[in-house]
Amino acid sequence: MKKRIYLLYGGKSAEHEVSIRTAFSVICALDFTKYEVTPVYITKDGNWMKRDVLKEPPKTMDELERQLNRDVNGLIEIMRDIAQAKENGEQLPILFPLLHGTNGEDGTVQGLFEILNIPFVGNGVLASAAGMDKVIMKNLFAQAGLPQVKYVSFNRFEWEKNEDGAYDEVEKKIGYPCFVKPANLGSSVGISKCQSREQLQKAFREAFQFDRKIIIEQGVEAREIEIGLLGNESPECSVAGEIIPKAEFYDYKAKYEDGNTALVIPADIPNETYERVKEIALKAFKVLDCSGLVRADFFLTKNGEVLINEINTMPGFTPVSMYPLLWKHTGIDYPELIDKLIEFGCEQYREKE
Ligand code: ATP
Ligand code: MG
Ligand code: MG
Ligand code: MG
């Protein structure tokens, strides 16, 4: 019997369009003799639209769009399907969220999966939520003794009460250059690099447009190294990759618009540096209680120090994104990577039973 997959994509997030592209790539890579694929498109307003089972992969993204049944309340239908499968003692479908950011990568949709009590691909509630919030993530890394840059955090209330006090604190504890970021975002949205008090003021205002909490980090001059992890209890590590942005830093434009950024895989780093990256990445995976997949991002300073910047619990997943490319160079191509993620999702569910 074919394995049933519900592929969730779109979503209420700034990364909506990227997610549609990802879904198209994933569907085209799935083996239709092995899987029965049902796309579930989530609109920007957060409405779920379940489609009919696909007979064959769509030829274009437009075709995927056209087949949408816009009248159906997909979430209720999915719940009904699951209840029926349980009642009939059938194999449960697996949910595969190809969603980034809010409501996709932050633990909220994973909470729904937990309540539905069905298998799903990727990280659970805790890892997703902790990984999405840079302050919580860094606090947990600090507690585990992982090397990272200095940081401070403010919420909007604290800042509004005493703006100059906040800037004074940043200058005293962090200094320049520093990076100001919304606590809960990705794709470099709302992030600024600051060299002066004036820029700091502007950066605070910018970041607070996206979140009620922000983080300010010491800016380091460093190479940017990333690594992929795959698995549950004992995840495997991919080769390392390096990002060489042409811009001042790896900002939103460099990620999605310029196409100017070079990805070097495998990264040209000494073996002992690679070993250190792996060691820290595996600890970070454990500390945040991750499962399925993670992309861990690092800084490699001039004197060879490895600092963890962040982990991403639902990294970019088009065939030309860093995470799949890292695995390709490690010997696992895109279709096989997808198979493995589905298998790890099923395994994680069995563990909980
Ligand atoms: P994504 O999830 O897409 O990887 P993000 O929005 O979570 O990105 P970060 O990875 O934290 O953001 O930062 C984006 C980029 O900004 C980094 O790739 C790096 O180029 C630069 N950067 C961020 N923090 C620092 C820092 N402390 N020192 C130097 N550069 C930094
Ligand atoms: Mg991130
Ligand atoms: Mg992200
Ligand atoms: Mg990053």
Side-chain angles (χ1 to χ4, degrees):
M1 212 179 84
K2 288 189 193 177
K3 177 135 207 72
R4 288 161 66 205
I5 304 178
Y6 287 171
L7 212 70
L8 275 52
Y9 68 102
K12 203 173 160 184
S13 126
E15 290 158 294
H16 184 94
E17 316 297 335
V18 179
S19 169
I20 295 176
R21 260 188 275 159
T22 304
F24 179 67
S25 307
V26 169
I27 291 170
C28 293
L30 282 168
D31 180 351
F32 274 56
T33 64
K34 246 166 61 185
Y35 300 113
E36 186 189 282
V37 185
T38 306
V40 179
Y41 172 66
I42 302 173
T43 65
K44 282 186 179 165
D45 305 326
N47 288 318
W48 292 41
M49 299 188 175
K50 178 172 159 286
R51 299 195 9 203
D52 294 334
V53 173
L54 287 180
K55 296 205 174 56
E56 54 183 6
K59 288 184 189 59
T60 59
M61 273 191 7
D62 270 0
E63 197 180 308
L64 183 66
E65 287 294 284
R66 270 202 311 277
Q67 290 173 15
L68 274 177
N69 179 351
R70 300 202 178 263
D71 307 325
V72 171
N73 187 334
L75 183 51
I76 291 173
E77 259 204 52
I78 293 171
M79 289 164 94
R80 209 182 287 134
D81 280 3
I82 293 165
Q84 205 157 44
K86 283 189 175 159
E87 224 172 86
N88 302 343
E90 291 164 15
Q91 192 193 50
L92 290 174
I94 184 164
L95 297 182
F96 195 157
L98 292 168
L99 303 163
H100 304 287
T102 328
N103 288 7
E105 196 177 345
D106 58 1
T108 50
V109 86
Q110 289 76 12
L112 176 65
F113 300 160
E114 290 286 356
I115 287 172
L116 294 175
N117 190 20
I118 79 164
F120 61 92
V121 172
N123 285 281
V125 174
L126 178 67
S128 303
M132 193 78 236
D133 185 314
K134 292 186 194 300
V135 181
I136 299 289
M137 173 167 58
K138 281 177 204 255
N139 287 347
L140 290 171
F141 288 167
Q143 209 238 347
L146 303 187
Q148 56 184 346
V149 297
K150 282 187 283 182
Y151 63 95
V152 291
S153 163
F154 298 94
N155 61 39
R156 192 183 283 115
F157 174 77
E158 293 164 331
W159 172 62
E160 281 172 351
K161 212 170 63 182
N162 184 2
E163 281 193 34
D164 283 324
Y167 307 138
D168 286 344
E169 190 177 331
V170 171
E171 287 177 348
K172 192 163 138 252
K173 291 190 179 154
I174 308 292
Y176 299 110
C178 63
F179 278 78
V180 178
K181 313 176 179 180
N184 293 278
L185 249 156
S187 294
S188 301
V189 174
I191 296 185
S192 319
K193 181 179 181 178
C194 308
Q195 303 278 7
S196 66
R197 178 99 168 196
E198 215 184 331
Q199 288 175 357
L200 190 64
Q201 291 168 334
K202 210 170 141 233
F204 263 64
R205 277 195 293 277
E206 168 79 7
F208 273 126
Q209 282 183 19
F210 295 97
D211 204 340
R212 45 163 281 282
K213 184 165 81 176
I214 66 170
I215 183 166
I216 301 92
E217 300 172 11
Q218 171 197 7
V220 284
E221 219 186 295
R223 290 168 70 186
E224 290 191 62
I225 306 293
E226 302 190 344
I227 191 172
L229 282 79
L230 174 66
N232 292 329
E233 291 307 321
S234 53
E236 279 180 69
C237 295
S238 72
V239 298
E242 177 168 13
I243 291 160
I244 306 181
K246 297 277 168 359
E248 172 80 12
F249 66 95
Y250 197 26
D251 59 8
Y252 185 87
K253 237 177 112 213
K255 279 178 186 170
Y256 299 112
E257 287 166 17
D258 284 355
N260 233 339
T261 299
L263 304 183
V264 181
I265 309 173
D268 184 13
I269 51 174
N271 195 50
E272 64 176 57
T273 304
Y274 174 59
E275 290 300 324
R276 181 81 178 124
V277 164
K278 272 205 308 200
E279 182 196 344
I280 300 170
L282 288 167
K283 274 192 193 154
F285 190 96
K286 185 100 194 290
V287 167
L288 295 196
D289 200 13
C290 295
S291 46
L293 77 167
V294 151
R295 195 194 75 222
D297 299 356
F298 292 87
F299 298 125
L300 174 58
T301 67
K302 289 228 165 76
N303 53 24
E305 211 185 344
V306 176
L307 306 170
I308 187 158
N309 172 28
E310 63 159 350
I311 59 144
N312 292 283
T313 54
M314 188 54 221
F317 201 78
T318 71
V320 295
S321 302
M322 186 59 129
Y323 184 82
L325 287 178
L326 287 170
W327 284 107
K328 193 172 161 205
H329 282 77
T330 312
I332 299 176
D333 66 10
Y334 197 61
E336 194 187 346
L337 180 61
I338 294 168
D339 284 347
K340 281 186 184 277
L341 285 172
I342 291 167
E343 189 37 53
F344 284 124
C346 294
E347 179 190 281
Q348 188 71 4
Y349 180 75
R350 288 194 299 270
E351 287 290 311
K352 278 185 300 202
E353 283 295 272

